[in-house]
Amino acid sequence: MLRRRLNRLFGGDEGRVHSRTIYVGHKSCPPNEAYIPPKFCDNRIVSSKYTVWNFLPKNLFEQFRRIANFYFLIIFLVQVIVDTPTSPVTSGLPLFFVITVTAVKQGYEDWLRHKADREVNEYRVSVLEDGRRIRKMSAKIKVGDIVEVEEDETFPCDLILLQSSRDDGTCFVTTASLDGESNHKTHYTVADLESDLQYLSATIECEQPQPDLYKFVGRMHIYRNSQEPDVRSLGPENLLLKGANLKNTQKICGVAVYTGMETKMALNYQGKSQKRSAVEKSINAFLLVYLFILVSKALVCTTLKYVWQSKHDETWYNEKTQKEKETNQYLKMFTDFLSFMVLFNFIIPVSMYVTVEMQKFLGSFFITWDKDFFDPEIQEGALVNTSDLNEELGQVEYIFTDKTGTLTQNNMEFIECCIDGFQYKHGDGSSELDGFCVTDGPVNKIQQKAGREREELFLRALCLCHTVQVKESTKQRQDQNDQFDQIDQVDGLGLDHGFLDPPQKEMGFIASSPDEIALVKGAMRYGFTFLGLESKNMKILNRNKDVETYELLHVLNFDPVRRRMSVMVRSKTGDILLFCKGADSSIFPQVRQEEVERIRMHVERNATEGYRTLCVAYKHLSAQEYARADADLREARLALQDREEKLMAVYNRVETDMILIGATAVEDQLQDEAAQTMEALQGAGMKVWVLTGDKMETAKSTCYACGLFKKNTELLELTLRTLEDGGRSREERLHDLLLEYHKKAVQDAPPVKLGITRSWSVAGHDYGFIIDGASLSMVLSSSSEPNSRRYKNLFLQICQNCTSVLCCRMAPLQKAQIVKLVKNSKGNPITLSIGDGANDVSMILEAHVGIGIKGKEGRQAVKNSDYAIPKLKHLKKLLLAHGHLYYVRIAHLVQYFFYKNLCFILPQFLYQFFCGYSQQPLYDAAYLTMYNICFTSMPILAYSLLEQHICIEVLLEHSTLYRDIAKNAMLRWKLFLYWTALGIFHGLVFFFGVRFLFSNPALQDNGQVFGNWSYGTIVFTVLVFTVTLKLALDTRHWTWINHFVIWGSLAFYVFFSFFWGGIIWPFLKHQRLYFVFANMLSSVSAWLVIILLILLSLLPEILLVVLRKPRGPHARQMKHRLPSSGTSTIFMLSQTASTHSFSWSD
Amino acid sequence: MMASSYKDEDGHITVSGSGAAAGGGGGSLRSKKPENTAFKQQRLPAWQPILTAGTVLPAFFIIGLMFIPIGIGLYVTSNNIKEFEVDYTGVEMSSPCFTCSQNFSWNSTKPCTCSVPFHLDQPYESNVFMYYGLSNFYQNHRRYVKSRDDSQLNGNEESLRKPSKECEPYAKSNNKPIAPCGAIANSMFNDSLELIYIDPNGTKVQIPLTATGIAWWTDKHVKFRNPGAENTNLTVVFQGTTRPVNWRRPVFQLDSDPDNNGFINEDFIVWMRTAALPTFRKLYRIIQRRSNVHPTLPRGNYTLEVVYNYPVRSFEGRKRMILSTISWMGGKNPFLGIAYVSVGSVCFLLGVLLLIIHHKYGNRNNAAEISH
């Protein structure tokens, strides 16, 4: 936290200097100016935290910064300094153990890091210096060095690509180790550079290091023959990141711009904020209670001690030492208080933290190990990024899910298109000559087609307007065997377009979004094949098997705000064309209005069928128009500040007044078992919100298909469409709608309306709420402050009363806003976000639990998530089975730990009343130390790893079981009080049972008597057996491990006691327990009292189990009979996503 | 916490992995299929006990049926134990030891004696155990409990000369080490008690008391040992040490029997085992049964001859002499019997109660259990 804040301060400091200047090759530029070598950090990567020298102090400091460790350290120090009843060993040993184990673990990890660092830093790289090639250690690279990298090597620092061995000035890289995306990405050299870098004299001005991998703004000044310097803009496409690998390119040269810890990779590895689970908060609350108990116990004892001492003056047989007599009375009282604290401090056991962490750490392996999470397609299973949140998986109340790639497969398939208002669907066995068949169209123009020109224009647009690359392997082969390839293509693009030749099918495309590939493939089916991009020329093969070449002038990249992208190309004939594709809402305002209506109909119909739609438009640019646009774009690209905004403005200026040519529909299939998963999650009491950037109609139909909206769900819409109804201002309308919906969904909710077809739905009347991004931002940022808060509240209340909520047209940040809104609402519900793409990262980070889907959109979501699963369907088992079990396990673990330490320490407290409040411990030091470490720790650890109070199959089958543990049910105060009461009861039984037995300490058949250590040992024996057997009673799932550990612990206790008491230990000052245990076992009375007390302690527990049992499963049985009948219908629905016929059997 | 560092590790391995081709993006690119073992899939064969009224009911009855007889047996056994107690503190004016208790002084050279008469109503048949009991004596006070040096008592010569700090303020006296040191040893009970039977015809018969076998065997033979080699003269061994300040005799004069002298004196060992509660008893002597014909202690009048050395009035303590027979369960203590009978009956009653409940509502439960 501190470090982060410091960083921010630091960052702010650096921010004053907005850019850095780099002298390429360390040459002064312009040559006559004096060259002052700027100071930058070297290229040493230091990921290790410690060195040999600072390991001990630094590691200890970090460990003792944790409040628990610090507490135990204080206790230990008190024991060392003050004359306390227990030796410092009793708390020092466990603390030492914990600290050592952690230190060794961290030391080992750091050693690994050192090793890796060394490997990276000592890696040899080639650096060009004055025309010579010098081998250098990677760590020695300085900013401004020209570095040469060969194929398959890793870039040693962030480089600006100057030269590539490829002719077209490109190189390919993979960034698998940075963001996990394994596809090849193209990077470009800076245009028009000297071929011999030795003579290059240039400076680079670029922004200060920042962690965003996809952003880079810079400018290069090239000095030639004392002319005005040439200026080139540098963007992320020129920057090669440290950590990426060079592929398919023999070698490149680049100049180092960021080195060492300033590289984007290093900047990206700063830990994300740590999430804390609700259970941890409960633990802390309970700890406070126990701390209070501890302090009050110590206070009571200290007070009573002085009251007692006032009556019982110092006796002749037990005089104080000289030192005690001399000590100041108040100081004495204080040290007495501390002594009592030490005596009772075992109530807060150091081992609980260790056990909880071990449980979490080891427990999380079960998720990685689960073969049900293994996806054969990607050959991967689940991934656990943090084990802190295992139990949180069992507490989820709200699920925020992305649509594309999460609910749907993100496996796009081109379904149909619409050109000039005529629908074209790809027919399988169509008799149409060119593969088109018109299946539908405006009513009055049935079976008509658009003009051929328009068709071809549309298809060319599809072929050109994208950023797709052709996969290298295919391309190389094409280059090599041009002739053979031609034949291939002729074959492949024969007249029968319904049939594609295998080699063509293999043709691989790489793109950032699967939509684009689907579109390019769709165009291919209709006869236009994109052959690839070669040195700024896009080649397409048209229907007549001619290769058309277009010069790519500019790509106006896609961004989620504009929601469209365009390309500018120059055709052979010299025409300059702009092709634009994008979401309908972003295209329609930018085109001439006359075409819109015809196409809008299609788009909307497609959207309701659940397809993703894109509109395509084009525009002829005159030479002047182009010149202006070109200049503007170049200028904007060179800007160092606000480049994004400037570019956006230019884009918007250029993309106007276009002509709409058509629309496409791409189908995104639902994920496997999406509907069942959603059904199960809703059955488990979770509310599912869909947050998507997609358009409303598409998202809505996906929701229907997933069963989130049902036939009888009444949809409450708060979108731009509803807001613009009624002809009033949006603000007013928003106000009215919110109030109306609130009335409907919140105030009138309980009385179920009659007349509506009754369904099995338990909730009565279902509401679904739909809101879009624009309306949401109105709700969240209303003009006036009080209004805004009120709207927020209304909005939340409506949403929380709806079974499902759909938020469409969301920007990534809005997704996070919604999550935050719900997270901070009343009751602080536990939220879970699930998504697969970079646009979901913000909500994944925001929610209590973030789940990443290992989808097609890279690894960003997975990297930032807490858990990653291959498919949506795995969420069901993750939450319903794993989450439920983890929660039950850890909740029981926590309660049990507090319980067992309460009944451990309570007899010791009670004993103070019988020993003159002299802090005499009841148990021997060995028992005090070992109780939590050895005797009672393993059974609960085994329980908390293996317990399945309900077996996994049942949990999966009956999702309603999840509701039983909702809202932290097992760690509520009521249950905590129950456990505390149980602990107190047990403590009382143990102590007083033995107390009454000791009213006559002659317990052996030879008349010999027992002393105080025998007393303690009997109590302790009863204690160990009772708490272990109590756990045995709670265990519902006895594997051999449980048997081994429970009975093993008891056996170990007996064995240890014999051993400990069987030897005169030379290093001990007192031989208190010598043969105490053996003598105890020789007494029949001791046996009898042990058995009696164990039984008496467990009796209420057994009784409660028996009495509680009848209610449990019986009630449950009734509940989940009903919903299961609906499942099959939903299953059918999910298969036929495009129909709306919800035929519910009544 | 630990888990957070685990996360740390993940991140860092990724850093290193990027440089060294090996890491391959940390754990994220793991492509191994999870092993299909029972443990990893959480499918270990398990016994899943369900505690229902049906399974627990018999247990309740069995416990009830077992505990009640055991309890009755214990109670009867305890009741059969004969115990006689006489308080000889001498607080009341009428008490024979009143003078001794009043005139007590540590410095008096002449021991004060008193005899307390008592009457046994019934004969004591088997071995009789003679205890002394102290009340309001905090032998379990922390400062007291730790005030001993076990290594000295174990015969360590070094500790004999240099007693442990724990013994303060009873570690040294007149610059000489105290043997045995510490508050426990210093306050050793030193009243001597004699039992005299007064025959119906008036003759006084001294009851023979055995002073051995009163301490734990392991204490006597292992834990406590005299310094120096076996059978050496204790006087020589203990030279250079001094007796505890409140003792009248040095430690090597506790008994004439060399096997019961010095640190291995059984009275001493018994005293050194600190009592658990402020009211306690300790075994003093055993009266062995001599013949099968005569009872060990016949019915009749006795006197307890006390050499009154031990002051308890200063802390309002009491001294008792207890005569008790012993059973297999130890001394007289009705607690166990009563506890067993009550727990047994509670179990039994609960069993009956559960049976009724089970009978009334049980059918439905069973149905649910089967369908589950």
Side-chain angles (χ1 to χ4, degrees), chain A residues 531-805:
Chain A
L531 294 179
L533 179 74
E534 267 171 58
S535 53
K536 298 240 151 197
N537 284 321
M538 293 176 103
K539 284 186 188 163
I540 58 175
L541 190 75
N542 66 12
R543 280 193 198 163
N544 305 326
K545 313 294 155 285
D546 298 328
V547 176
E548 295 176 14
T549 313
Y550 293 88
E551 188 189 349
L552 180 63
L553 300 169
H554 284 290
V555 177
L556 316 186
N557 279 323
F558 177 84
D559 68 70
V561 181
R562 223 165 91 247
R563 316 190 104 258
R564 58 178 179 259
M565 64 93 57
S566 321
V567 291
M568 283 189 208
V569 293
R570 182 185 282 138
S571 71
K572 273 268 174 62
T573 54
D575 293 338
I576 296 168
L577 290 163
L578 178 130
F579 291 108
C580 179
K581 72 168 198 279
D584 53 354
S585 62
S586 60
I587 293 280
F588 287 164
Q590 309 281 355
V591 299
R592 296 190 191 145
Q593 289 308 307
E594 54 264 34
E595 295 104 343
V596 170
E597 276 317 308
R598 281 185 295 170
I599 289 177
R600 183 193 296 264
M601 216 177 77
H602 280 276
V603 170
E604 278 175 7
R605 207 203 55 204
N606 282 336
T608 39
E609 283 172 2
Y611 299 140
R612 296 162 70 85
T613 55
L614 284 175
C615 292
V616 182
Y618 85 105
K619 164 182 182 182
H620 270 286
L621 289 173
S622 65
Q624 294 94 322
E625 276 175 316
Y626 171 69
R628 199 180 146 224
D630 185 50
D632 285 351
L633 283 170
R634 279 175 201 280
E635 189 195 340
R637 280 191 184 140
L638 285 183
L640 273 188
Q641 282 164 38
D642 306 327
R643 183 182 278 181
E644 303 283 321
E645 288 77 8
K646 284 178 184 163
L647 275 177
M648 191 87 78
V650 179
Y651 289 167
N652 283 333
R653 209 180 311 138
V654 176
E655 289 166 340
T656 47
D657 212 21
M658 297 180 291
I659 301 156
L660 190 63
I661 31 180
T664 57
V666 170
E667 189 186 7
D668 190 1
Q669 285 166 338
L670 277 188
Q671 287 267 11
D672 295 350
E673 296 171 34
Q676 290 99 306
T677 308
M678 288 302 136
E679 167 86 7
L681 296 180
Q682 286 195 326
M686 288 175 251
K687 294 195 169 150
V688 183
W689 293 29
V690 178
L691 310 183
T692 176
D694 225 330
K695 51 192 278 126
M696 191 188 102
E697 286 74 20
T698 319
K700 203 159 95 183
S701 63
T702 311
C703 285
Y704 271 113
C706 290
L708 289 175
F709 292 161
K710 297 179 185 101
K711 188 192 166 197
N712 61 325
T713 307
E714 190 180 333
L715 295 182
L716 310 175
E717 251 184 69
L718 190 70
T719 55
L720 281 182
R721 208 174 65 192
T722 52
L723 284 180
E724 273 161 7
D725 277 357
R728 275 185 300 164
S729 84
R730 286 185 182 183
E731 284 279 319
E732 279 175 44
R733 183 81 182 129
L734 177 78
H735 183 81
D736 294 350
L737 273 177
L738 274 175
L739 283 182
E740 183 194 326
Y741 291 157
H742 185 260
K743 195 165 175 305
K744 241 190 211 174
V746 183
Q747 292 162 3
D748 300 345
V752 179
K753 282 182 195 169
L754 291 173
I756 287 162
T757 350
R758 288 297 301 265
S759 70
W760 54 266
S761 166
V762 195
H765 195 64
D766 281 346
Y767 288 100
F769 190 72
I770 303 177
I771 188 165
D772 64 2
S775 317
L776 182 76
S777 59
M778 279 176 71
V779 169
L780 295 185
S781 55
S782 189
S783 47
S784 57
E785 178 56 29
N787 250 358
S788 144
R789 196 174 302 143
R790 191 158 151 244
Y791 287 171
K792 257 190 211 174
N793 274 335
L794 284 176
F795 168 67
L796 259 180
Q797 284 179 15
I798 297 167
C799 289
Q800 289 175 343
N801 272 32
C802 291
T803 35
S804 322
V805 176

Side-chain angles (χ1 to χ4, degrees), chain A residues 933-964:
Chain A
I933 301 181
C934 300
F935 301 145
T936 59
S937 64
M938 290 316 285
I940 183 65
L941 185 63
Y943 172 92
S944 66
L945 287 175
L946 301 168
E947 173 68 354
Q948 293 173 31
H949 65 301
I950 304 169
C951 67
I952 291 177
E953 286 75 22
V954 177
L955 283 176
L956 287 178
E957 208 177 313
H958 305 296
S959 56
T960 40
L961 291 175
Y962 194 83
R963 294 178 194 223
D964 294 355

Side-chain angles (χ1 to χ4, degrees), chain A residues 942-1122:
Chain A
Y943 172 92
S944 66
L945 287 175
L946 301 168
E947 173 68 354
Q948 293 173 31
H949 65 301
I950 304 169
C951 67
I952 291 177
E953 286 75 22
V954 177
L955 283 176
L956 287 178
E957 208 177 313
H958 305 296
S959 56
T960 40
L961 291 175
Y962 194 83
R963 294 178 194 223
D964 294 355
I965 56 158
K967 296 255 174 212
N968 214 355
M970 288 182 68
L971 290 172
R972 295 234 189 96
W973 289 107
K974 214 176 115 191
L975 265 175
F976 175 69
L977 278 181
Y978 162 73
W979 279 92
T980 309
L982 192 72
I984 291 173
F985 169 68
H986 284 186
L988 289 173
V989 166
F990 302 157
F991 183 78
F992 285 105
V994 183
R995 161 72 187 77
F996 287 124
L997 183 76
F998 265 69
S999 52
N1000 181 354
L1003 292 170
Q1004 281 181 288
D1005 56 1
N1006 55 9
Q1008 293 171 358
V1009 291
F1010 280 169
N1012 63 324
W1013 298 116
S1014 303
Y1015 190 110
T1017 305
I1018 296 177
V1019 173
F1020 193 76
T1021 309
V1022 178
L1023 170 77
V1024 168
F1025 275 80
T1026 307
V1027 296
T1028 309
L1029 291 176
K1030 155 82 180 128
L1031 186 68
L1033 270 182
D1034 289 341
T1035 306
R1036 289 278 159 280
H1037 191 80
W1038 285 81
T1039 63
W1040 66 266
I1041 301 174
N1042 293 89
H1043 279 290
F1044 176 77
V1045 165
I1046 286 184
W1047 311 126
S1049 280
L1050 293 179
F1052 175 74
Y1053 166 67
V1054 174
F1055 170 77
F1056 175 84
S1057 298
F1058 267 117
F1059 180 65
W1060 187 246
I1063 295 174
I1064 299 271
W1065 293 96
F1067 56 87
L1068 286 181
K1069 260 190 269 173
H1070 294 279
Q1071 313 293 338
R1072 294 159 174 168
L1073 284 196
Y1074 187 68
F1075 262 77
V1076 163
F1077 190 76
N1079 263 312
M1080 179 190 88
L1081 290 189
S1082 74
S1083 157
V1084 183
S1085 294
W1087 277 90
L1088 287 171
V1089 88
I1090 288 169
I1091 293 167
L1092 175 83
L1093 294 182
I1094 291 172
L1095 219 112
L1096 185 62
S1097 309
L1098 295 177
L1099 200 62
E1101 193 61 22
I1102 298 170
L1103 201 67
L1104 216 67
V1105 169
V1106 175
L1107 290 180
R1108 201 195 294 150
K1109 200 71 193 171
R1111 257 178 282 143
H1114 186 68
R1116 274 185 215 128
Q1117 202 70 25
M1118 296 306 291
K1119 247 190 268 164
H1120 39 68
R1121 276 272 155 73
L1122 287 165

Side-chain angles (χ1 to χ4, degrees), chain A residues 47 49 66 83-85 105 109 113 116 119-120 154 177 265 269 274 308 312 315-321 324 357 361 366 368-371 374 379-380 384-385 387-388 859 863 882 889 911 914-916 918-920 948 953 993 995-1015 1033 1036-1039 1041 1069-1071 1074-1076 1079 1084-1085 1088 1092 1095-1096 1099 1102-1103 1105-1106 1109-1110 1114 1117, chain B residues 1-10 12 14-16 18-20 27-28 30-31 33-34 36 39-51 53 56 60 63 67 74 83 106 129 131 136-138 140-146 148 150 166 168-170 183 187 213-216 218 222-223 246 273-278 281 283 310-311 314-315 326-333 335-336 339-340 343 347 350 364-365 368 371-372:
Chain A
S47 65
K49 273 200 225 155
R66 285 171 46 186
D83 167 49
T84 53
K105 181 172 159 279
E109 282 168 15
R113 275 179 229 139
E119 216 164 316
V120 175
T154 308
S177 53
M265 187 189 80
Y269 288 109
Q274 207 176 337
W308 184 83
H312 298 71
T315 49
W316 65 264
Y317 60 85
N318 190 14
E319 278 169 23
K320 288 176 186 163
T321 58
E324 275 176 298
E357 280 173 18
F361 179 72
F366 283 117
T368 358
W369 283 337
D370 196 323
K371 71 173 165 47
F374 183 76
Q379 288 290 307
E380 275 180 52
V384 179
N385 285 332
S387 54
D388 279 352
R859 289 268 172 183
K863 286 238 157 182
H882 285 281
R889 289 167 184 174
Y911 193 58
F914 294 88
C915 70
S918 59
Q919 301 129 20
Q920 170 63 24
Q948 293 173 31
E953 286 75 22
R995 161 72 187 77
F996 287 124
L997 183 76
F998 265 69
S999 52
N1000 181 354
L1003 292 170
Q1004 281 181 288
D1005 56 1
N1006 55 9
Q1008 293 171 358
V1009 291
F1010 280 169
N1012 63 324
W1013 298 116
S1014 303
Y1015 190 110
L1033 270 182
R1036 289 278 159 280
H1037 191 80
W1038 285 81
T1039 63
I1041 301 174
K1069 260 190 269 173
H1070 294 279
Q1071 313 293 338
Y1074 187 68
F1075 262 77
V1076 163
N1079 263 312
V1084 183
S1085 294
L1088 287 171
L1092 175 83
L1095 219 112
L1096 185 62
L1099 200 62
I1102 298 170
L1103 201 67
V1105 169
V1106 175
K1109 200 71 193 171
H1114 186 68
Q1117 202 70 25
Chain B
M1 306 210 167
M2 198 149 115
S4 75
S5 52
Y6 159 64
K7 195 183 332 178
D8 238 330
E9 167 201 46
D10 218 359
H12 278 291
T14 326
V15 171
S16 56
S18 58
S28 58
R30 213 176 294 141
S31 69
K33 188 172 176 169
N36 189 10
F39 173 69
K40 290 189 173 180
Q41 300 307 323
Q42 305 194 65
R43 286 183 202 287
L44 282 178
W47 170 56
Q48 289 164 322
I50 301 167
L51 286 180
V56 175
F60 273 109
I63 291 169
F67 271 33
L74 282 168
E83 196 176 273
W106 286 113
F129 294 78
Y131 296 91
N136 209 15
F137 189 101
Y138 283 84
N140 57 6
H141 194 280
R142 182 162 75 91
R143 203 187 317 126
Y144 187 85
V145 170
K146 68 174 186 175
R148 62 192 285 161
D150 276 339
E166 307 272 355
E168 293 288 348
Y170 303 101
S187 60
I214 56 174
W216 290 9
T218 46
V222 188
K223 193 175 171 184
N246 289 342
R273 182 153 294 281
T274 47
L277 299 167
R281 61 174 73 174
L283 189 52
Y310 206 72
S314 61
F315 51 88
I326 285 291
S327 74
W328 50 271
M329 59 169 281
K332 191 181 183 88
N333 191 354
F335 162 71
L336 265 183
Y340 262 82
V343 170
C347 273
L350 281 175
R364 213 180 56 190
N365 292 345
S371 68
H372 196 65

Side-chain angles (χ1 to χ4, degrees), chain A residues 2-157:
Chain A
L2 189 71
R3 200 193 298 156
R4 203 165 305 138
R5 201 168 297 156
L6 269 178
N7 266 354
R8 204 172 296 151
L9 269 179
F10 222 53
D13 235 307
E14 270 181 18
R16 276 177 223 145
V17 186
H18 285 296
S19 59
R20 55 161 64 179
T21 308
I22 294 143
Y23 297 86
V24 176
H26 307 293
K27 274 176 285 192
S28 59
C29 298
N32 46 3
E33 265 177 35
Y35 167 61
I36 310 145
K39 286 238 176 214
F40 298 114
C41 70
D42 64 0
N43 196 33
R44 186 179 301 279
I45 280 281
V46 185
S47 65
S48 56
K49 273 200 225 155
Y50 313 107
T51 62
V52 178
W53 308 111
N54 72 10
F55 176 75
L56 210 63
K58 198 173 170 188
N59 185 269
L60 286 183
F61 174 72
E62 288 194 352
Q63 288 204 47
F64 285 119
R65 239 175 19 179
R66 285 171 46 186
I67 192 83
N69 283 348
F70 189 69
Y71 166 79
F72 292 110
L73 180 71
I74 292 293
I75 291 286
F76 174 72
L77 290 180
V78 166
Q79 282 180 315
V80 171
I81 297 161
V82 182
D83 167 49
T84 53
T86 53
S87 86
V89 177
T90 51
S91 68
L93 196 69
L95 184 66
F96 179 75
F97 175 74
V98 170
I99 296 288
T100 315
V101 166
T102 318
V104 165
K105 181 172 159 279
Q106 291 180 348
Y108 174 70
E109 282 168 15
D110 207 55
W111 180 72
L112 286 182
R113 275 179 229 139
H114 268 289
K115 219 172 83 170
D117 283 353
R118 207 159 44 236
E119 216 164 316
V120 175
N121 289 332
E122 290 177 3
Y123 186 74
R124 296 272 159 180
V125 290
S126 306
V127 175
L128 297 180
E129 258 176 39
D130 306 324
R132 283 173 295 129
R133 181 177 288 112
I134 296 168
R135 300 290 285 178
K136 252 195 194 184
M137 274 203 292
S138 165
K140 298 260 166 72
I141 294 176
K142 290 191 288 290
V143 171
D145 277 348
I146 296 173
V147 181
E148 194 180 272
V149 181
E150 292 185 2
E151 187 163 358
D152 290 331
E153 276 185 341
T154 308
F155 300 117
C157 56

Side-chain angles (χ1 to χ4, degrees), chain A residues 72-350:
Chain A
F72 292 110
L73 180 71
I74 292 293
I75 291 286
F76 174 72
L77 290 180
V78 166
Q79 282 180 315
V80 171
I81 297 161
V82 182
D83 167 49
T84 53
T86 53
S87 86
V89 177
T90 51
S91 68
L93 196 69
L95 184 66
F96 179 75
F97 175 74
V98 170
I99 296 288
T100 315
V101 166
T102 318
V104 165
K105 181 172 159 279
Q106 291 180 348
Y108 174 70
E109 282 168 15
D110 207 55
W111 180 72
L112 286 182
R113 275 179 229 139
H114 268 289
K115 219 172 83 170
D117 283 353
R118 207 159 44 236
E119 216 164 316
V120 175
N121 289 332
E122 290 177 3
Y123 186 74
R124 296 272 159 180
V125 290
S126 306
V127 175
L128 297 180
E129 258 176 39
D130 306 324
R132 283 173 295 129
R133 181 177 288 112
I134 296 168
R135 300 290 285 178
K136 252 195 194 184
M137 274 203 292
S138 165
K140 298 260 166 72
I141 294 176
K142 290 191 288 290
V143 171
D145 277 348
I146 296 173
V147 181
E148 194 180 272
V149 181
E150 292 185 2
E151 187 163 358
D152 290 331
E153 276 185 341
T154 308
F155 300 117
C157 56
D158 290 355
L159 300 170
I160 290 291
L161 180 57
L162 297 177
Q163 211 172 51
S164 163
S165 64
R166 291 174 65 94
D167 305 332
D168 54 359
T170 58
C171 76
F172 293 94
V173 300
T174 58
T175 50
S177 53
L178 285 171
D179 55 9
E181 294 179 40
S182 56
N183 55 356
H184 292 192
K185 287 180 188 148
T186 319
H187 285 251
Y188 301 90
T189 52
V190 183
D192 307 325
L193 285 181
E194 281 85 347
S195 52
D196 194 344
L197 293 175
Q198 195 188 339
Y199 303 112
L200 176 70
S201 151
T203 58
I204 292 170
E205 219 178 304
C206 59
E207 57 183 352
Q208 289 295 345
Q210 57 137 323
D212 192 328
L213 290 179
Y214 307 103
K215 276 203 183 121
F216 175 73
V217 185
R219 195 158 40 184
M220 191 169 190
H221 300 265
I222 302 164
Y223 299 86
R224 286 186 184 119
N225 314 330
S226 69
Q227 290 169 0
E228 268 297 291
D230 282 356
V231 183
R232 307 263 193 283
S233 81
L234 302 174
E237 70 277 2
N238 304 113
L239 186 70
L240 304 170
L241 300 178
K242 179 184 174 75
N245 283 63
L246 185 65
K247 294 285 177 194
N248 282 337
T249 312
Q250 273 182 350
K251 73 177 188 188
I252 59 111
C253 287
V255 58
V257 283
Y258 303 130
T259 47
M261 299 313 284
E262 290 178 348
T263 56
K264 287 186 183 285
M265 187 189 80
L267 290 173
N268 262 289
Y269 288 109
Q270 273 160 5
K272 47 183 176 176
S273 70
Q274 207 176 337
K275 295 177 179 177
R276 304 212 152 263
S277 75
V279 168
E280 230 167 297
K281 285 172 202 148
S282 297
I283 295 180
N284 288 340
F286 296 166
L287 265 183
L288 281 183
V289 173
Y290 270 67
L291 209 64
F292 174 74
I293 294 178
L294 171 67
V295 171
S296 43
K297 271 183 178 177
L299 274 177
V300 164
C301 282
T302 318
T303 319
L304 288 175
K305 174 169 182 164
Y306 285 88
V307 171
W308 184 83
Q309 276 187 351
S310 66
K311 274 186 261 163
H312 298 71
D313 206 19
E314 198 183 350
T315 49
W316 65 264
Y317 60 85
N318 190 14
E319 278 169 23
K320 288 176 186 163
T321 58
Q322 201 59 33
K323 219 171 90 195
E324 275 176 298
K325 281 178 190 159
E326 283 162 6
T327 320
N328 177 297
Q329 175 77 9
Y330 295 102
L331 187 70
K332 188 87 187 56
M333 278 169 127
F334 181 65
T335 54
D336 271 329
F337 173 74
L338 287 182
S339 294
F340 279 117
M341 288 278 282
V342 166
L343 189 66
F344 303 142
N345 97 83
F346 297 91
I347 203 167
I348 297 168
V350 66

Side-chain angles (χ1 to χ4, degrees), chain A residues 384-545:
Chain A
V384 179
N385 285 332
T386 170
S387 54
D388 279 352
L389 301 170
N390 291 341
E391 66 277 1
E392 206 84 334
L393 294 173
Q395 289 294 305
V396 177
E397 288 167 70
Y398 285 88
I399 293 181
F400 298 94
T401 164
D402 177 38
K403 189 182 80 74
T404 312
T406 309
L407 284 177
T408 59
Q409 286 183 357
N410 205 9
N411 192 3
M412 304 296 173
E413 197 168 339
F414 186 88
I415 295 295
E416 59 179 42
C417 60
C418 150
I419 306 172
D420 256 3
F422 301 99
Q423 190 192 23
Y424 290 75
K425 199 163 194 166
H426 191 263
D428 297 317
S430 168
S431 57
E432 292 277 328
L433 186 71
D434 52 3
F436 281 105
C437 74
V438 180
T439 53
D440 193 9
V443 193
N444 52 343
K445 293 182 188 173
I446 297 167
Q447 294 294 319
Q448 278 190 359
K449 295 187 356 183
R452 194 169 175 84
E453 242 172 87
R454 297 289 271 189
E455 272 179 34
E456 293 194 347
L457 184 67
F458 177 78
L459 293 173
R460 277 192 195 105
L462 287 190
C463 276
L464 293 173
C465 185
H466 54 69
T467 53
V468 172
Q469 292 155 25
V470 177
K471 206 180 247 168
E472 187 71 0
S473 57
T474 329
K475 204 172 162 192
Q476 269 173 350
R477 198 198 58 187
Q478 279 177 351
D479 292 344
Q480 284 155 10
N481 325 327
D482 209 31
Q483 204 172 358
F484 171 72
D485 213 45
Q486 283 297 331
I487 298 161
D488 245 19
Q489 280 161 11
V490 172
D491 278 355
L493 296 162
L495 286 182
D496 186 359
H497 293 286
F499 172 71
L500 282 171
D501 211 40
Q504 277 305 321
K505 244 183 189 166
E506 273 171 22
M507 192 172 203
F509 295 109
I510 301 162
S512 51
S513 112
D515 292 75
E516 292 201 319
I517 296 180
L519 290 180
V520 171
K521 282 189 173 163
M524 198 162 87
R525 276 208 306 226
Y526 293 136
F528 276 78
T529 311
F530 174 60
L531 294 179
L533 179 74
E534 267 171 58
S535 53
K536 298 240 151 197
N537 284 321
M538 293 176 103
K539 284 186 188 163
I540 58 175
L541 190 75
N542 66 12
R543 280 193 198 163
N544 305 326
K545 313 294 155 285

